[in-house]
Amino acid sequence: MRLRNIPGAKEAVAAHSSCIPEASAPAGNWQHIFGNSHPVHIEIGMGKGRFITALADRHPEINYIGIERYDSVLVRALEKLDAREEPLPNLRFIRMDATHICDMFAKNEAARIYLNFSDPWPKDRHAKRRLTSVEFLKRYDQILAPDGRIEFKTDNPELFSFSLEQTGQAGWTVEGCTRDLHHDPAMNAGNVMTEYEEKFSAQGNPICKMIISRP
């Protein structure tokens, strides 16, 4: 995907009060940052922020953290946040590469991780970069609470099959699985659509979803 550079995006992201600098490495300190002991839910690759912003609005009893590596994408989420009439004190953002996630969260600090329409990295030599690879599952294992879960959605059937295989190889448990989310009443209950999900669904692409946890 070719991203359009937005002049001033990097500076706007760095200056925004809802963005936590990656250099601060606040592992173990999120309760202090939010000022409460609510559960922490993370979205990795949050894009323009529609999904995580909607969740934060619906669930003030949960703290949400959106991770995005591109300033020009993250700045759009910040613009949406600033345009709201009511603030969302339970929402923060980090501009970072997800490979460094263990620097940002301590052991057992995350209750849930959302992966929505992640980059499929279609070439075999890039498989380790996929956010559902064994390599990334090892990272999530370090920060998820014992009863923590990962929810993954994609419109890419090949990536979904790969993700299921990697889940088994890593010894994780599949708690829920569907290859047609919007026609699966149980899995679709309470579903919040991302920008990509709405777009792909409108094109007739079925959405795959899995929920996984550790034994």
Side-chain angles (χ1 to χ4, degrees):
M1 178 179 65
R2 185 179 180 86
L3 294 175
R4 181 172 63 89
N5 181 56
I6 298 178
K10 183 176 181 179
E11 292 76 14
V13 168
H16 202 283
S17 60
S18 291
C19 286
I20 307 299
E22 181 181 1
S24 66
N29 200 36
W30 287 103
Q31 288 188 1
H32 175 73
I33 290 172
F34 282 106
N36 58 58
S37 58
H38 297 167
V40 170
H41 290 193
I42 305 166
E43 183 184 9
I44 302 176
M46 49 160 271
K48 297 178 183 178
R50 171 177 169 176
F51 175 85
I52 199 166
T53 300
L55 286 181
D57 189 43
R58 293 184 185 185
H59 300 285
E61 76 284 2
I62 297 173
N63 295 325
Y64 291 92
I65 302 167
I67 295 174
E68 175 54 52
R69 66 182 299 185
Y70 298 110
D71 293 306
S72 293
V73 178
L74 177 52
V75 74
R76 295 308 189 200
L78 294 173
E79 289 171 354
K80 291 179 181 179
L81 182 64
D82 290 341
R84 290 177 51 89
E85 293 184 3
E86 297 293 331
L88 288 174
N90 62 328
L91 179 60
R92 297 289 189 279
F93 302 113
I94 310 172
R95 208 290 299 161
M96 64 173 287
D97 190 303
T99 55
H100 306 304
I101 195 169
C102 295
D103 295 330
M104 304 301 287
F105 300 92
K107 183 178 178 62
N108 300 338
E109 198 164 25
R112 190 163 301 182
I113 294 175
Y114 300 99
L115 307 172
N116 293 315
F117 302 91
S118 309
D119 191 330
W121 292 101
K123 295 182 180 180
D124 290 342
R125 68 175 184 270
H126 293 153
K128 292 183 179 180
R129 299 186 186 184
R130 298 168 189 160
L131 294 181
T132 51
S133 67
V134 167
E135 287 74 19
F136 271 98
L137 290 175
K138 290 178 181 177
R139 294 182 175 101
Y140 307 147
D141 183 54
Q142 295 182 51
I143 67 171
L144 270 177
D147 59 349
R149 289 173 173 78
I150 296 173
E151 297 190 13
F152 170 60
K153 291 193 289 188
T154 182
D155 74 317
N156 188 309
E158 291 79 16
L159 177 60
F160 194 67
S161 295
F162 168 85
S163 303
L164 289 171
E165 292 171 0
Q166 295 288 286
T167 296
Q169 290 180 25
W172 289 56
T173 299
V174 177
E175 295 193 356
C177 179
T178 180
R179 289 183 179 269
D180 194 357
L181 175 63
H182 296 165
H183 292 93
D184 186 321
M187 289 287 288
N188 197 43
N191 181 54
V192 174
M193 287 205 291
T194 72
E195 292 94 337
Y196 280 117
E197 184 172 355
E198 189 171 77
K199 174 183 176 181
F200 295 148
S201 297
Q203 294 172 350
N205 298 339
I207 306 302
C208 305
K209 179 177 181 177
M210 71 179 188
I211 301 173
I212 63 174
S213 64
R214 292 159 300 183

